[in-house]
Amino acid sequence: MHICCPLCRAAGEDIDHLSWDCQFARQVWSYIFAWFHVDVTSNLDVGSFIIWAMQIQASRQVTNLWRVGVMTTIWSIWNLRNRVVFDDASFSAVNLTVQIKALILEASRFSLGEMMNSVEELLVLHGLGIPGNPRRSISYVYVFWIPPPHPWHKINIDGSIHGSLPCIHTGGIVRGNGSVMGCFHFSGGRGWAFEVELFALIIALEQVVSHGWDFIWIETDCTYIVELF
Ligand SMILES: [Zn+2]
């Protein structure tokens, strides 16, 4: 007997169709993939997808939530199908995804594992409304910043490049008399890492000369620059 899919009424019902190929299922899955920032090629069948999904590499926390998401989605679609068939329930993809999200949130209370300290994972967890479980620090190091004593001026400089034809960005901040006295920034031109760090130093020294500062403390993270002096 050929049974019509109760969710789309456009194809025969079997487990592959219901949980994966059905237009309704596709709609639901698109939400799950968006939550987890996952890109899935559409030519997988459901079996291959589950094998692939269980191998996704992420932190323990996000991997656990993702696996819960995958299994909960399949279970929820099947459960919905039964309610539609036996109780004539009304349904929508959006409502089902709200329920799936709530179940993932519920499971997160039991989910062990730590997150990775990455923006990507923070966005995933934030989107799901689940607090991140960052790795605990082994020890705490308290860092204090002491303003340069009078009459010293301290200038912190840094530079960065990006792109295959590297574009220069450089800047610095000047502190003295117990407060921030000014800062500078320059973007433009092309150069390499050492050049941009050197460029930042040149701009800083120009500031020193133009203001007539005599006691200068310049801080950079570029070892080559430090070794020049
Ligand atoms: Zn269908």
Side-chain angles (χ1 to χ4, degrees), residues 129-147:
I130 294 171
N133 181 29
R135 193 168 296 167
R136 301 278 177 269
S137 297
I138 298 167
S139 65
Y140 295 93
V141 178
Y142 292 95
V143 178
F144 298 96
W145 184 77
I146 300 167

Side-chain angles (χ1 to χ4, degrees), residues 17-212:
H17 172 84
L18 196 68
S19 58
W20 187 247
D21 296 323
C22 178
Q23 281 180 355
F24 177 85
R26 285 280 161 190
Q27 220 181 329
V28 174
W29 281 114
S30 68
Y31 281 87
I32 316 301
F33 299 153
W35 295 341
F36 285 94
H37 299 198
V38 168
D39 207 8
V40 181
T41 52
S42 55
N43 53 6
L44 288 174
D45 59 37
V46 66
S48 310
F49 163 68
I50 291 173
I51 292 168
W52 174 84
M54 294 303 130
Q55 293 170 347
I56 274 193
Q57 297 289 317
S59 68
R60 196 77 174 278
Q61 184 180 17
V62 172
T63 302
N64 283 338
L65 294 171
W66 160 249
R67 289 177 179 176
V68 167
V70 169
M71 301 321 289
T72 302
T73 301
I74 294 172
W75 177 81
S76 297
I77 293 172
W78 174 248
N79 204 24
L80 176 69
R81 175 261 180 209
N82 290 338
R83 282 188 279 125
V84 171
V85 170
F86 299 114
D87 302 333
D88 200 22
S90 60
F91 62 96
S92 78
V94 173
N95 285 348
L96 192 65
T97 59
V98 170
Q99 291 168 25
I100 292 169
K101 203 176 212 179
L103 289 168
I104 295 173
L105 181 63
E106 187 72 25
S108 74
R109 294 179 193 157
F110 305 98
S111 169
L112 298 173
E114 293 162 339
M115 66 173 288
M116 214 153 29
N117 292 331
S118 72
V119 175
E120 179 84 9
E121 293 217 340
L122 272 175
L123 288 173
V124 168
L125 292 166
H126 182 72
L128 290 167
I130 294 171
N133 181 29
R135 193 168 296 167
R136 301 278 177 269
S137 297
I138 298 167
S139 65
Y140 295 93
V141 178
Y142 292 95
V143 178
F144 298 96
W145 184 77
I146 300 167
H150 182 76
W152 286 83
H153 289 83
K154 185 181 179 192
I155 310 178
N156 284 73
I157 55 172
D158 205 354
S160 70
I161 55 173
H162 77 90
S164 53
L165 282 170
C167 185
I168 282 178
H169 304 277
T170 186
I173 183 164
V174 184
R175 298 181 181 95
N177 297 330
S179 63
V180 173
M181 302 190 69
C183 51
F184 60 85
H185 169 258
F186 177 85
S187 280
R190 304 205 178 278
W192 301 101
F194 172 71
E195 291 170 313
V196 71
E197 298 282 3
L198 185 60
F199 191 45
L201 176 67
I202 290 169
I203 298 175
L205 292 175
E206 282 176 353
Q207 296 297 314
V208 170
V209 171
S210 68
H211 287 86

Side-chain angles (χ1 to χ4, degrees), residues 5 7-9 17 22-23:
C5 168
L7 302 180
C8 69
R9 302 199 176 279
H17 172 84
C22 178
Q23 281 180 355

